[in-house]
Amino acid sequence: MERQAANRCCCWLMVKIWSNRIVYDAHVGWRIQGGTLLKLVDSLVPAFLGWEPAYVPNFLRTYRAFATTQQVLDALFASALSSILATWLEQYPEDFNHPPHYTSLYMLLDYTQLNLCDFELDQQVQLLLRHLQQQEPAEAELEGEEDRDWCM
């Protein structure tokens, strides 16, 4: 028990270095300010892939002081999924070009709003949807002109 307390104290020194958004509240204990957990979790994968090998073990050793396991899992799933979806939308937007209903984009928009709470991804989906919807009437006009030219 004493060893756990000592480890938590020692680990808090590392957590304080990571972020000035982890604060001590006399009524609650250690807590994390909004959005910081997601930022810390967002750094796990790049850190694991090489830029900071000690980050992941330090995070796993200290997160209990400011978050629950479920909160970390939720943030990790949201972070990973958001990153993958953002990359997909950015690099392969044509995969979502299914007029006239754009079912995939609307489904993605609903999912991001309900489950991910990722404002940037939500904006990215909405921008792509608007862009594709604006292209649709222009493409229909071009097809109409081609049909008329063919008939002449």
Side-chain angles (χ1 to χ4, degrees):
M1 188 72 144
E2 287 179 24
R3 184 170 181 238
Q4 271 186 325
N7 281 344
R8 285 194 182 195
C9 181
C10 175
C11 294
W12 265 111
L13 295 175
M14 289 181 254
V15 172
K16 283 183 170 182
I17 292 169
W18 291 349
S19 172
N20 61 358
R21 294 184 179 201
I22 299 171
V23 295
Y24 184 78
D25 182 326
H27 299 288
V28 180
W30 289 104
R31 66 180 176 80
I32 192 164
Q33 291 182 0
T36 303
L37 178 60
L38 191 55
K39 289 176 185 169
L40 292 171
V41 168
D42 279 346
S43 300
L44 287 172
V45 173
F48 183 75
L49 294 175
W51 66 261
E52 183 62 48
Y55 184 87
V56 174
N58 287 339
F59 177 85
L60 294 174
R61 196 172 21 259
T62 60
Y63 81 87
R64 290 168 209 81
F66 55 84
T68 66
T69 301
Q70 188 63 49
Q71 288 172 320
V72 172
L73 282 173
D74 290 344
L76 185 58
F77 291 146
S79 173
L81 190 55
S82 291
S83 297
I84 291 166
L85 290 172
T87 300
W88 190 3
L89 286 164
E90 186 177 305
Q91 294 183 7
Y92 302 98
E94 66 276 6
D95 289 356
F96 300 93
N97 190 3
H98 302 286
H101 301 294
Y102 301 99
T103 309
S104 299
L105 275 174
Y106 279 110
M107 184 176 73
L108 183 56
L109 188 60
D110 289 344
Y111 185 84
T112 60
Q113 291 173 344
L114 290 172
N115 299 302
L116 297 180
C117 299
D118 185 333
F119 179 74
E120 289 179 24
L121 182 60
D122 185 65
Q123 289 296 107
Q124 190 176 359
V125 173
Q126 289 184 32
L127 285 172
L128 179 58
L129 183 58
R130 277 196 298 268
H131 175 73
L132 292 174
Q133 287 172 333
Q134 288 171 354
Q135 279 186 334
E136 187 180 345
E139 288 174 4
E141 288 175 16
L142 286 175
E143 288 174 10
E145 288 176 16
E146 289 172 3
D147 291 343
R148 277 194 305 265
D149 290 343
W150 185 77
C151 293
M152 293 181 163

